[in-house]
Amino acid sequence: GNSVTQMEGPVTLSEEAFLTINCTYTATGYPSLFWYVQYPGEGLQLLLKATKADDKGSNKGFEATYRKETTSFHLEKGSVQVSDSAVYFCALSKGFSEKLVFGKGTKLTVNP
Amino acid sequence: NAGVTQTPKFQVLKTGQSMTLQCAQDMNHNSMYWYRQDPGMGLRLIYYSASEGTTDKGEVPNGYNVSRLNKREFSLRLESAAPSQTSVYFCASSPETSGGARENIQYFGAGTRLSVL
């Protein structure tokens, strides 16, 4: 079946550090890939997405590239801020009619 | 923009009590979902509704029932609450896409934090 594996957290960084959160997936066919972010006390919101191989999703300084050869969609940011502290979820979907499959989430804390 | 609205935000129940979690969206989305979020487990799908009048089980449906009252509203009912149902519950909705787009972008409510004693 379809599944998503994320690096386990928590991840603690200093402000302006480089961030990588690893995500790999298992799926038949060609899924769409997503990163969602959950700020403290809130619901999830879409951060970025990619729908085909080699696509790069980007938003708010975050980037992730759909790598079919390594079945990966790692999240990166060059310089994190305290306001980036949140839980990040990688997810996949094989199409609109398919349900989202989420990873377990990675908690990021950024210290000033 | 209200988006997806969940009520209540917090609830404490005793074992065996029943309650209904309410969810409403004002974005004219066809699909709606109920998830539970537990530490170390990520989000797990309880039930979903692809359109008004239809509902389907997700990964963890036992102990829950749902009603898609109309296009806007999708409620989750616990008939006899158990401590194992202590969790944070999220409702989400997603729009139709056109042209065969392969996206399933979901919009989430702020959640209901439920404790069952």
Side-chain angles (χ1 to χ4, degrees), chain A residues 30-32 34 36 38 41-44 46 49 51-52 89 93-96 98-100 102-104, chain B residues 31 33 35 37 40-43 45 48 90 94-97 101-110:
Chain A
Y30 302 92
S32 295
F34 307 84
Y36 280 81
Q38 183 181 28
E42 299 183 10
L44 280 72
L46 180 68
K49 62 178 173 65
T51 58
K52 61 183 186 296
F89 292 90
S93 170
K94 283 178 61 182
F96 180 75
E98 296 281 342
K99 301 177 286 297
L100 277 177
F102 286 92
K104 294 185 177 181
Chain B
S31 298
Y33 311 81
Y35 294 91
Q37 183 180 30
M41 301 293 291
L43 272 76
L45 184 66
Y48 68 102
F90 288 100
S94 61
E96 292 284 0
T97 55
R102 297 175 59 250
E103 302 175 359
N104 183 355
I105 298 171
Q106 295 186 13
Y107 297 80
F108 285 79

Side-chain angles (χ1 to χ4, degrees), chain A residues 4 12 31 43 49 54 63 65 86-87 90 95 97-99 107:
Chain A
V4 174
T12 303
K49 62 178 173 65
D54 299 325
E63 294 183 339
T65 301
V87 180
C90 187
S97 61
E98 296 281 342
K99 301 177 286 297
K107 183 176 182 179

Side-chain angles (χ1 to χ4, degrees), chain A residues 23-108:
Chain A
C23 172
T24 58
Y25 67 89
T26 301
T28 57
Y30 302 92
S32 295
L33 301 173
F34 307 84
W35 278 100
Y36 280 81
V37 58
Q38 183 181 28
Y39 297 105
E42 299 183 10
L44 280 72
Q45 56 186 275
L46 180 68
L47 180 61
L48 53 83
K49 62 178 173 65
T51 58
K52 61 183 186 296
D54 299 325
D55 267 2
K56 178 185 284 188
S58 61
N59 186 25
K60 300 182 180 180
F62 291 89
E63 294 183 339
T65 301
Y66 189 139
R67 302 286 188 198
K68 189 173 186 303
E69 63 276 13
T70 54
T71 62
S72 65
F73 193 53
H74 305 321
L75 183 68
E76 295 182 337
K77 186 173 185 181
S79 176
V80 293
Q81 305 301 312
V82 172
S83 57
D84 293 327
S85 298
V87 180
Y88 293 82
F89 292 90
C90 187
L92 71 80
S93 170
K94 283 178 61 182
F96 180 75
S97 61
E98 296 281 342
K99 301 177 286 297
L100 277 177
V101 176
F102 286 92
K104 294 185 177 181
T106 303
K107 183 176 182 179
L108 170 67

